[in-house]
Amino acid sequence: MMERYLVTGAGGNLARQLVEELSNRGKQILCVDLTAPLSGHKADWQQVDITDVTSMANLIVEFRPQCILHMASLLSISSEASPVQGWRVNATATLELLELAAQHEVNRFFFPSTSETYGGDLPDPLPEDHPQWPENIYGATKVAVERVGTYFSLTKKLDFRSVRLPIVVSPFAPETAVSAYASHAFISAARGNPFTFPVAPSVVSSMIYVRDVIQGILQLIEVPREKLNRSVYNLHGFRATTSSIGQAAEQQAPGF
């Protein structure tokens, strides 16, 4: 029997590439997003607001997913502009979806978190159990879901799994995401446009290439539960200064 995946926020930066990879692996996928289907998209697609509990419940009952990849989220800048809406989309809607998943015996539930759950200056390497005191509402919503997801795994036997992501370098990075400056630099260079970095040349950040994120997520959701020693892991690719990102972009597009 073909394994069934429900993917929320399916039109987003990471989700669209997860859907593509899962499709290539022969999985049955139901995509959920506020937007219309992406051009050339082959998977089934439903335009549904994840805060609409009744509609989400109906989708789960009809599709009977074995795994939910809950990728839908209000990003940092939008959450900061409206903390109440950010909490409603990122935290409350996720809690409701976790409850639905537990009620309908979904096997696994994946949720992407962020290194923004920590806040402040961070040690290198960064241990998973480093104190989490986020400095923005986006990070606060994510750490809240980490905790409630772990609660569901302990009390309702829902297999909750998550990774905290650093800056992701991707050709589909949201234009409004300030933290995606590395992606925006490479995209601008490829288009022959100038780019102004929003951080100083000496700033060092943890980053990861998007295809490595996709592989990391798929490896995490496929590994048997007994081989995991926690529900939430940090994912890291490499360290880079702002100036090194600019130099790398210039190597790809001389004159950038």
Side-chain angles (χ1 to χ4, degrees):
M1 184 176 179
M2 188 180 296
E3 198 170 15
R4 296 182 300 277
Y5 286 78
L6 188 151
V7 183
T8 68
N13 175 25
L14 297 179
R16 63 196 295 175
Q17 297 176 78
L18 274 170
V19 169
E20 179 184 8
E21 184 61 32
L22 288 169
S23 297
N24 292 339
R25 297 186 181 194
K27 310 298 184 183
Q28 186 177 353
I29 307 163
L30 176 61
C31 297
V32 178
D33 204 299
L34 281 173
T35 64
L38 298 172
S39 177
H41 211 74
K42 298 178 182 178
D44 292 335
W45 192 287
Q46 292 285 337
Q47 281 186 258
V48 173
D49 186 340
I50 62 164
T51 63
D52 184 343
V53 183
T54 301
S55 294
M56 292 303 298
N58 291 337
L59 287 180
I60 291 175
V61 169
E62 293 170 6
F63 184 63
R64 294 180 294 112
Q66 291 149 312
C67 181
I68 292 177
L69 304 181
H70 183 38
M71 309 300 291
S73 178
L74 205 61
L75 297 179
S76 184
I77 192 168
S78 300
S79 296
E80 211 61 35
S82 178
V84 172
Q85 182 66 2
W87 189 271
R88 182 178 296 119
V89 173
N90 295 354
T92 303
T94 305
L95 172 58
E96 291 167 341
L97 189 56
L98 283 163
E99 183 66 38
L100 289 172
Q103 287 175 3
H104 297 285
E105 300 181 338
V106 175
N107 294 340
R108 280 160 293 150
F109 190 108
F110 174 80
F111 176 78
S113 189
T114 172
S115 56
E116 291 185 53
T117 60
Y118 291 109
D121 294 330
L122 302 177
D124 179 24
L126 175 63
E128 273 88 357
D129 57 1
H130 187 75
Q132 291 173 285
W133 292 102
E135 297 177 346
N136 56 36
I137 191 66
Y138 177 72
T141 63
K142 293 289 188 174
V143 76
V145 173
E146 288 183 21
R147 298 295 189 270
V148 77
T150 302
Y151 161 78
F152 269 77
S153 69
L154 292 172
T155 63
K156 304 196 177 187
K157 307 306 179 185
L158 176 64
D159 188 352
F160 174 83
R161 307 182 186 192
S162 178
V163 291
R164 301 184 189 106
L165 298 173
I167 294 174
V168 177
V169 183
S170 168
F172 304 112
E175 293 183 5
T176 57
V178 177
S179 63
Y181 58 82
S183 301
H184 298 158
F186 283 111
I187 292 169
S188 295
R191 293 174 177 172
N193 297 328
F195 178 76
T196 301
F197 285 92
V199 292
S202 60
V203 168
V204 180
S205 297
S206 170
M207 298 186 182
I208 190 168
Y209 179 54
V210 66
R211 298 306 300 178
D212 294 328
V213 175
I214 302 308
Q215 293 304 315
I217 290 174
L218 293 176
Q219 287 177 25
L220 178 64
I221 63 176
E222 290 171 356
V223 72
R225 181 70 208 188
E226 61 269 18
K227 292 188 178 294
L228 302 177
N229 59 20
R230 60 177 66 238
S231 294
V232 188
Y233 291 85
N234 290 338
L235 200 57
H236 169 73
F238 56 93
R239 299 169 73 250
T241 62
T242 309
S243 60
S244 68
I245 293 295
Q247 291 165 9
E250 189 174 16
Q251 288 178 355
Q252 298 297 316
F256 171 60

